[in-house]
Amino acid sequence: MTATDRYQQKLQSIPAPGTGCNPSLLGAANLGILSGKAPEEIHEEIRQAIPPGDRRIRDAEITRAINKALSEHQAGTYTPRPRQDPAVEDG
């Protein structure tokens, strides 16, 4: 089984926030780095894979996991671009 296969499996098995999601982020980030994915791509795929739960996982938590994985594999650090605030619609 390749690192990419294991990464995809890990994404599918991320538990809901409040039930062990945060520790699972590092495992997914490690496998994403090992599979050769770009940090931005890993961030987006992890964000999409997190199921609904007791709380919302912040982008900073995902970034922290990716940076830890990068440092463990001596691949540098990742700084995400800031997200724009959503436009407020006046009803």
Side-chain angles (χ1 to χ4, degrees):
M1 183 177 286
T2 68
T4 302
D5 294 335
R6 293 187 348 238
Y7 171 65
Q8 291 302 321
Q9 281 185 334
K10 187 66 169 177
L11 287 177
Q12 294 172 4
S13 67
I14 293 176
T19 62
C21 178
N22 202 292
S24 186
L25 299 179
L26 180 58
N30 274 315
L31 290 169
I33 296 299
L34 290 173
S35 67
K37 291 191 172 273
E40 298 84 4
E41 187 177 3
I42 296 168
H43 190 281
E44 188 58 35
E45 289 175 349
I46 288 175
R47 166 61 61 214
Q48 296 300 319
I50 297 172
D54 293 344
R55 67 181 186 88
R56 183 170 178 359
I57 298 295
R58 298 176 321 198
D59 284 339
E61 294 174 84
I62 299 170
T63 300
R64 194 170 25 254
I66 293 170
N67 281 334
K68 184 163 175 52
L70 285 167
S71 70
E72 288 176 357
H73 300 285
Q74 300 176 353
T77 60
Y78 162 61
T79 305
R81 290 182 300 163
R83 291 185 178 215
Q84 294 181 353
D85 292 332
V88 177
E89 293 184 16
D90 194 7

